[in-house]
Amino acid sequence: MANLRWGVLSTAKIGRTKVIPAMQAADGSEVVAIGGRDPDRTRRVADELAIASAHASYDAVLADENVDAVYIPLPNHLHAEWTIRAADAGKHVLCEKPLALSADDARRMVDACADAGVVLEEAFMYRHHPSWEAAVELVRSGHIGDLVTVQSWFSYYNDDRANIRNILSAGGGALLDIGCYSVHLSRLLFGDEPERVTASVIRDPDSGVDVVTSGTLDFASGNASFTCSTRCEPDQRVHVYGTTGRISIEIPFNIPPDRPTRVLVTAGGTPPVAPDTETLTFAPADQYRIQAERFAAVVRGERDAPTARDTVANTEIIEQLFAAADDTRKPAERHSGDTSSS
């Protein structure tokens, strides 16, 4: 069967360094076009990555008859517009997370793609990695008993005012950029949607973006808690606790494609001094390559497409977390100099 022919909207770093090379290495995919705002830069990137067509605009990529699907790594506030325009052009869409800045926008994107008969997927690449598939199976099989709670942390340091992640109007901030992973993995592990959320937000006093956000998601059978930050020492971790065991995912998000990864499963022993821990080691795997291969399989009808509910729910919960943080902020608003929320 013919390869799925990809076009890329923008020359963003994540595309250049991770996603496009993975797509080019993936079975059943090829990258045939890229578009950007700067024609000279776009041509340079196309040459560096051996992409045949370098277009001077995103619209030109959508108009390219050789393009079947588009990958959208644009800034967050442009996801909805260009996903809908891609759907109108009859292109399948792999859109970077977070899918949208509002649940209403996410629903419009889902509806536009459904009406056009094209596939839409939010690019949560981590879920395709073998280590995560094993962790999910361990939970669902009852290997650690009943799931009780999930704890996750994701952080890095970036105080560059010009960086898109520090621009509020462009959808910057910790929760949208990296906290969305914690929301998604919590829903994935519980296999459910939270019934209630609470949150605390610290915002940069100048830019207004959230730089530390903590949240709790209450599910029917347990809860998940997380903290994400763009002003902390870089770190990431996920711990999953059940009634008879626990799972630690050593590198949960930025999983290196060129080295083995580990999942630690503890069930028994006498923790914390002498826990009975089994180390599951996984051969190197490129989660971006697997994502591209599975997306192509969905387009070919060989795998099920993501449900509309799954596509929209993360955005709804992020909205609820921001709203919950704003609600808890109100009693403290009288204190001058307090920048804990907006």
Side-chain angles (χ1 to χ4, degrees), residues 1-298:
M1 186 173 291
N3 287 341
L4 182 68
R5 299 170 300 177
W6 288 93
V8 180
L9 304 190
S10 104
T11 57
K13 181 179 179 181
I14 188 173
R16 299 193 319 270
T17 61
K18 294 182 178 181
V19 182
I20 294 174
M23 286 174 166
Q24 291 173 321
D27 294 334
S29 289
E30 59 180 316
V31 181
V32 300
I34 187 169
R37 295 174 297 176
D38 182 335
D40 292 336
R41 174 179 169 79
T42 304
R43 181 71 266 171
R44 286 197 304 273
V45 171
D47 290 343
E48 290 168 3
L49 296 172
I51 299 171
S53 297
H55 294 298
S57 70
Y58 307 142
D59 280 316
V61 177
L62 300 184
D64 190 332
E65 294 182 354
N66 292 318
V67 171
D68 305 313
V70 294
Y71 166 59
I72 302 179
L74 291 165
N76 297 339
H77 68 300
L78 298 177
H79 289 179
E81 174 188 353
W82 286 99
T83 292
I84 292 170
R85 293 174 75 160
D88 290 343
K91 312 298 186 186
H92 304 287
V93 179
L94 176 64
C95 181
E96 267 304 333
K97 51 79 210 158
L99 186 69
L101 298 189
S102 72
D104 285 344
D105 278 349
R107 294 185 195 100
R108 291 195 302 114
M109 296 161 75
V110 167
D111 289 345
C113 290
D115 291 345
V118 299
V119 174
L120 170 63
E121 182 176 330
E122 187 173 11
F124 280 116
M125 75 298 175
Y126 80 94
R127 58 181 160 183
H128 299 292
H129 195 276
S131 61
W132 263 103
E133 292 187 322
V136 171
E137 178 57 28
L138 286 167
V139 170
R140 293 181 180 171
S141 68
H143 191 83
I144 60 170
D146 297 329
L147 180 59
V148 176
T149 192
V150 178
Q151 298 177 341
S152 57
W153 172 282
F154 198 175
S155 63
Y156 62 84
Y157 195 92
N158 181 345
D159 63 353
D160 178 4
R161 301 300 185 198
N163 188 280
I164 199 75
R165 293 169 182 81
N166 288 312
I167 299 175
L168 186 64
S169 60
L175 180 54
L176 284 167
D177 188 39
I178 51 178
C180 60
Y181 285 106
S182 291
V183 173
H184 191 270
L185 69 88
S186 300
R187 296 173 47 244
L188 177 65
L189 290 169
F190 275 100
D192 199 2
E193 303 299 343
E195 299 176 344
R196 185 174 75 99
V197 308
T198 56
S200 173
V201 170
I202 299 174
R203 292 188 181 273
D204 183 282
D206 297 320
S207 68
V209 299
D210 65 302
V211 295
V212 181
T213 292
S214 297
T216 301
L217 314 181
D218 292 335
F219 296 87
S221 58
N223 69 16
S225 59
F226 72 91
T227 295
C228 58
S229 177
T230 57
R231 300 291 167 83
C232 279
E233 167 74 8
D235 192 19
Q236 50 188 270
R237 60 180 182 267
V238 175
H239 300 300
V240 183
Y241 292 86
T243 52
T244 61
R246 67 182 188 271
I247 300 168
S248 295
I249 301 171
E250 190 173 54
I251 307 175
F253 308 120
N254 299 128
I255 306 173
D258 56 353
R259 56 177 284 185
T261 51
R262 304 190 306 172
V263 171
L264 308 180
V265 185
T266 300
T270 55
V273 177
D276 185 3
T277 298
E278 177 185 8
T279 301
L280 306 180
T281 302
F282 299 86
D286 188 336
Q287 56 195 343
Y288 294 101
R289 175 175 177 168
I290 301 169
Q291 175 179 254
E293 291 174 343
R294 292 182 175 177
F295 187 95
V298 171

